[in-house]
Amino acid sequence: MRRLIPLLLLLVLATAAAWAGEAAPMAEDEVVEKRMVAISDEMRCLVCQNESLSGSHAELAQDLRREIRQMIKAGKTDQQIMDFMVDRYGDFVRYRPPMKSTTYLLWFGPFLLLAVALVALVRYLRRRGSRLDQGAPTALSAAETQRAEALLAQVEDKR
Amino acid sequence: MKRFLLPLALFIVLLGFLAWGLKPGYDPHELPSPLIGKAAPAFDLPQLAQPEQKFSPASMRGKVWLLNVWASWCVSCREEHPVLVRFSRTATVPLYGLNYKDARPDGMRWLAQFGNPYIASAFDSDGRVGIDYGVYGVPETYVIDKAGVIRYKQIGPVTEDVLQKKIIPLVQELEKS
């Protein structure tokens, strides 16, 4: 038995090593992989357009991730890789649209709407304010006070 | 009555946007290609039928030509194929294929079965050339002018309608210049 223990231990270690060996290709180069994921998170998969390039199982996405990996290994900067993708697939591939003449409406449209809404709100409040100022009676006349009291008395009676 | 005018106007604008989204033939999957007006990316690939021979777009300088990206695994290509076969019988414009991410025997069998409209097909087994052409949904078809500039890209199958209304008039115009 005593002789068996080291043997068993060796066996356990050997299988552990074998597992580790199997997992190795996945994280062949962790730095490259991390950068690839960071870059492809910023990109849209063109086949299934609501998924990011990093999360998509489409074959084109796999090819493009392979391409990005190769570019990282070739020493390209993130900007160069982004340019490579935009040259081929257009700005649509980016989740963050660039600021340029065709996208001004996209970038400033919401602020424009907000400004319009604010102007409309201010105008409405001003109009409402002035209407209240003009039309609001300051106090009840004697006849009105009497009528109000009569009404209140009626309510009291019913109770 | 007057106070309903503004909401009504807004509603009509909203309806307009919704109608635009439902416009027949509008496909949100279709993206404007940044490659239009740019030089067709160079490549030098073995041909599908004759691996020892190569095809390169550079050899097409001075001609207007079509490049059709296809694959035997692509379902829409099957829909498109008869249109291309018919077109190739009468057309004067050269039609080349780019066999995208396919296996050579599959591609060959496909052409034998459905007919071969291409003068030759370049064999892009790993899809690397497809990436350079911004291919993201096979089939895709490019119209390339005499100077080697991409003038038009059809995403999805070429139909008789697209041929008659877009591709043929464009080719005729490009051939004149």
Side-chain angles (χ1 to χ4, degrees):
Chain A
M1 193 61 200
R2 231 184 236 169
R3 252 188 256 161
L4 260 176
I5 289 172
L7 256 174
L8 278 172
L9 216 76
L10 203 73
L11 199 72
V12 168
L13 279 175
T15 48
W19 279 337
E22 239 172 314
M26 287 286 287
E28 197 182 347
D29 192 332
E30 216 173 307
V31 184
V32 170
E33 208 60 19
K34 268 197 186 139
R35 251 188 83 192
M36 187 278 289
V37 170
I39 294 169
S40 56
D41 259 343
E42 289 289 313
M43 290 180 195
R44 197 191 306 270
C45 168
L46 291 122
V47 183
C48 23
Q49 296 180 349
N50 290 325
E51 272 188 287
S52 77
L53 194 58
S54 67
S56 173
H57 287 285
E59 223 175 288
L60 179 66
Q62 287 171 21
D63 287 357
L64 287 174
R65 285 197 297 263
R66 182 193 65 198
E67 209 62 35
I68 292 172
R69 247 182 237 124
Q70 279 170 5
M71 280 189 276
I72 292 171
K73 282 180 188 158
K76 297 265 170 77
T77 65
D78 288 8
Q79 190 55 49
Q80 281 172 320
I81 295 172
M82 189 54 99
D83 290 346
F84 173 93
M85 297 290 290
V86 170
D87 281 350
R88 281 156 182 77
Y89 302 102
D91 286 329
F92 188 82
V93 79
R94 313 171 58 152
Y95 271 124
R96 291 174 214 266
M99 184 92 75
K100 58 187 196 185
S101 57
T102 48
T103 58
Y104 283 157
L105 192 64
L106 182 70
W107 278 96
F108 300 117
F111 298 107
L112 204 73
L113 275 181
L114 185 70
V116 168
L118 279 178
V119 168
L121 181 70
V122 167
R123 275 184 56 186
Y124 170 74
L125 287 177
R126 279 219 186 118
R127 237 187 355 207
R128 186 162 156 259
S130 63
R131 207 166 48 210
L132 287 178
D133 285 345
Q134 285 164 13
T138 40
L140 295 177
S141 65
E144 281 169 336
T145 314
Q146 244 176 14
R147 238 187 102 204
E149 268 165 8
L151 282 170
L152 283 170
Q154 257 179 20
V155 174
E156 292 288 301
D157 285 349
K158 271 184 191 159
R159 274 192 189 161
Chain B
M1 254 336 264
K2 219 174 142 193
R3 67 201 188 104
F4 291 120
L5 274 178
L6 187 66
L8 184 69
L10 287 175
F11 180 65
I12 288 171
V13 169
L14 182 70
L15 271 189
F17 278 118
L18 292 174
W20 187 70
L22 289 172
K23 191 171 59 176
Y26 172 73
D27 180 4
H29 208 89
E30 251 175 57
L31 307 176
S33 174
L35 283 155
I36 288 167
K38 295 212 180 114
F43 63 82
D44 195 26
L45 285 175
Q47 293 185 11
L48 177 69
Q50 284 110 16
E52 66 287 350
Q53 280 186 32
K54 296 230 168 171
F55 174 72
S56 157
S59 65
M60 297 305 292
R61 275 291 156 87
K63 280 183 205 156
V64 180
W65 61 291
L66 305 180
L67 180 69
N68 173 252
V69 184
W70 66 279
S72 67
W73 47 261
C74 148
V75 181
S76 318
C77 297
R78 227 166 247 241
E79 183 191 320
E80 172 190 70
H81 204 72
V83 177
L84 292 181
V85 172
R86 233 175 300 137
F87 174 68
S88 69
R89 283 203 198 112
T90 54
T92 48
V93 56
L95 171 65
Y96 283 84
L98 181 71
N99 185 219
Y100 176 70
K101 298 198 68 153
D102 214 343
R104 211 181 274 273
D106 292 347
M108 305 267 290
R109 198 180 320 124
W110 206 74
L111 290 182
Q113 197 177 344
F114 299 112
N116 184 358
Y118 311 107
I119 295 173
S121 281
F123 183 59
D124 183 23
S125 64
D126 60 0
R128 188 59 195 73
V129 168
I131 290 177
D132 279 343
Y133 276 78
V135 172
Y136 66 94
V138 204
E140 292 187 7
T141 306
Y142 299 82
V143 178
I144 298 166
D145 73 6
K146 290 177 182 172
V149 173
I150 296 176
R151 289 308 188 97
Y152 177 75
K153 176 184 179 184
Q154 169 70 23
I155 295 158
V158 169
T159 58
E160 205 56 60
D161 203 44
V162 170
L163 268 181
Q164 298 303 334
K165 285 191 183 148
K166 287 191 182 146
I167 294 181
I168 292 175
L170 178 63
V171 166
Q172 280 168 349
E173 190 193 310
L174 290 175
E175 273 175 344
K176 271 185 231 151
S177 58

